[in-house]
Amino acid sequence: WKHCRPTPGIRGPQPLRRHGTGKRKGGGVTTITLTVPISKLLSANDRGTSWQAKAAKTKWIRNAAHCLTIAEHGGKPPLGRCHLTVYIAAPTNRRRDAANLSPTIKAGLDGIVSGGLLEDDSDAHLVGPDPRPDTERSERGTYRFRFDFQEIS
């Protein structure tokens, strides 16, 4: 918990929220919203970036997602098998490919797993992630990733 501090200049990630019936089997959707500054974004198109820079960005994203998960989910049992849909809100309406942000999604998912929301991110526990563009825009200078976990039987 000591390493979970807000980043100056970035409005902190929003806490975990559970919507729907609240039943464990086939219940509602559990949502984690992660806000990532453009300077920390990882893309599949990154070619000339050093491994040290990628590792630092990955660590930042994983830590932010981990802290979000612990803040609300800490101490609760992990969810069962889930389908994950990730809605990506960009700061502009430019045309983009949501799948190019898979490295950012993977780092965020690793943080969510280490925070205890899921037992593992293997195929036995998770269907997805399914990246999709969000209809809303994020704040200037940031991307917003909304991880929606729908429990399946």
Side-chain angles (χ1 to χ4, degrees):
W1 257 104
K2 293 179 182 176
H3 61 279
C4 297
R5 297 189 184 128
T7 303
I10 299 295
R11 193 164 69 175
Q14 298 170 9
L16 176 78
R17 292 185 300 263
R18 170 163 269 173
H19 303 283
T21 63
K23 295 178 185 173
R24 298 302 287 174
K25 290 284 185 189
V29 175
T30 300
T31 299
I32 295 179
T33 303
L34 177 65
T35 302
V36 179
I38 290 177
S39 63
K40 302 290 186 188
L41 206 62
L42 292 167
S43 171
N45 291 334
D46 292 341
R47 297 285 184 252
T49 310
S50 70
W51 67 268
Q52 294 101 333
K54 286 181 186 176
K57 290 177 181 182
T58 301
K59 182 177 181 179
W60 188 94
I61 294 165
R62 193 179 327 119
N63 183 48
H66 175 86
C67 293
L68 273 173
T69 306
I70 286 178
E72 184 67 27
H73 189 73
K76 297 177 187 171
L79 300 175
R81 186 169 164 79
C82 293
H83 178 265
L84 172 60
T85 306
V86 182
Y87 293 95
I88 303 166
T92 63
N93 285 333
R94 289 176 40 188
R95 195 177 74 142
R96 63 190 82 247
D97 183 3
N100 280 341
L101 297 173
S102 293
T104 302
I105 294 169
K106 177 60 177 157
L109 183 57
D110 287 345
I112 291 167
V113 169
S114 70
L117 182 65
L118 298 173
E119 193 173 318
D120 191 14
D121 61 352
S122 67
D123 294 339
H125 296 37
L126 187 69
V127 176
D130 180 12
R132 298 182 185 180
D134 201 339
T135 56
E136 299 176 6
R137 291 166 76 183
S138 64
E139 292 180 23
R140 194 166 135 176
T142 65
Y143 274 70
R144 189 175 57 246
F145 295 84
R146 191 178 82 222
F147 293 79
D148 284 353
F149 295 90
Q150 174 70 52
E151 283 191 282
I152 54 179
S153 8

